[in-house]
Amino acid sequence: MYNLEAFMLILFFSILIFGGGIYLMSKKKPMAYKALPGPVSVREITPEPETAEELFPRLDFLAEPEPDSEHDFVPELPWGYDDNKITIMARDPETVYAYWDISEQLRDTFGFSYGARWNESMPVLRVYDVTGIDYFNGVNANSFYDIMVDDSAGCWYLHVGIPNRTFCVDLGRVLNDGTFVTIARSNFTSTPRNTLSDRIDPEWMLVSGNQRKLYARIGSKDGMSSYEIFKSFIQ
């Protein structure tokens, strides 16, 4: 009798478990299958080319500022200033630099005065040696010579070749008959020396003991002039 009851109990639980499994399997959702990707166009996967501004963005602090007012406008330098003037300066003991500016009005005035001869004239720089002359009137120079220049030139290097001299330069034209016409006259300038100065002190002043020691080392005595010391060096 007990075996029958145990068998019936086991059968009941077996049916219950089997029925529960069938119930749970009926409630489970079917597996979803993803569809395979379709054909893709090359235009869809190829990125658009980037521009230079996208690759290298513009830096505002490097960009040239755009003029926003009349004060930002920088005018170009003019070719001339209509200033009838020639200026000279010594560059070295043998060279003088000259620059000039002549107005169109003055050119027209000379052209009207001399007529056709002016068109055939040659531009010239007349270099005067005025060393030791306090007042130069154009004819009392120690000597002079002419240098031909280009008609469109506004400056020139003059190889005077003489140091320690004073010069003055006339900008002018030489007409076809040899007449020289002065357009503008320069200032005076002196070329420097290319030797030792001839100005010497009659006596060196000793202001401290260090100078006295230096004198003793070079074999000089107090009271010798700089010229005497110089002669002692070259002998």
Side-chain angles (χ1 to χ4, degrees):
M1 184 175 180
Y2 290 103
N3 291 336
L4 181 59
E5 292 179 355
F7 174 75
M8 293 297 293
L9 186 60
I10 292 172
L11 181 61
F12 174 76
F13 281 107
S14 299
I15 294 173
L16 183 62
I17 293 172
F18 180 75
I22 294 175
Y23 176 76
L24 292 176
M25 292 180 62
S26 63
K27 294 294 184 179
K28 189 176 181 180
K29 295 181 179 180
M31 181 180 298
Y33 294 94
K34 296 182 179 180
L36 294 176
V40 180
S41 174
V42 177
R43 298 178 59 89
E44 296 179 0
I45 63 175
T46 303
E48 293 292 333
E50 295 179 319
T51 63
E53 293 184 356
E54 293 175 343
L55 295 175
F56 305 100
R58 182 178 180 180
L59 301 179
D60 294 336
F61 67 91
L62 294 178
E64 296 182 359
E66 298 181 357
D68 54 359
S69 66
E70 60 180 4
H71 300 289
D72 295 331
F73 175 73
V74 180
E76 297 182 357
L77 291 176
W79 288 102
Y81 297 92
D82 284 342
D83 187 9
N84 302 311
K85 184 178 181 181
I86 177 173
T87 304
I88 62 174
M89 60 184 67
R91 193 196 72 169
D92 55 53
E94 297 184 355
T95 308
V96 171
Y97 176 70
Y99 63 95
W100 59 88
D101 184 25
I102 303 300
S103 65
E104 290 296 333
Q105 181 180 359
L106 185 62
R107 297 175 190 269
D108 295 339
T109 300
F110 276 97
F112 178 79
S113 301
Y114 293 95
R117 293 188 301 165
W118 186 258
N119 298 329
E120 299 174 357
S121 63
M122 300 296 295
V124 169
L125 293 177
R126 177 159 289 186
V127 183
Y128 300 97
D129 183 345
V130 293
T131 305
I133 299 176
D134 296 330
Y135 176 75
F136 175 58
N137 57 13
V139 295
N140 60 341
N142 298 319
S143 61
F144 71 89
Y145 59 92
D146 294 341
I147 298 178
M148 308 297 294
V149 297
D150 293 340
D151 207 358
S152 60
C155 59
W156 210 265
Y157 283 99
L158 312 175
H159 183 71
V160 295
I162 308 175
N164 197 27
R165 303 292 288 183
T166 303
F167 297 93
C168 179
V169 177
D170 276 358
L171 173 65
R173 312 278 298 197
V174 175
L175 305 181
N176 53 7
D177 59 357
T179 303
F180 178 78
V181 180
T182 300
I183 299 176
R185 178 163 294 167
S186 74
N187 57 300
F188 285 14
T189 189
S190 299
T191 54
R193 297 174 57 91
N194 61 353
T195 59
L196 294 175
S197 175
D198 56 355
R199 297 182 180 181
I200 58 176
D201 299 329
E203 183 177 325
W204 283 13
M205 180 182 297
L206 301 177
V207 295
S208 67
N210 291 332
Q211 279 78 8
R212 294 182 182 274
K213 294 178 180 179
L214 179 61
Y215 250 44
R217 293 189 62 180
I218 63 177
S220 301
K221 298 180 180 180
D222 294 348
M224 291 183 62
S225 66
S226 58
Y227 178 70
E228 292 172 332
I229 294 175
F230 173 74
K231 288 180 61 177
S232 66
F233 279 134
I234 63 176
Q235 291 177 352

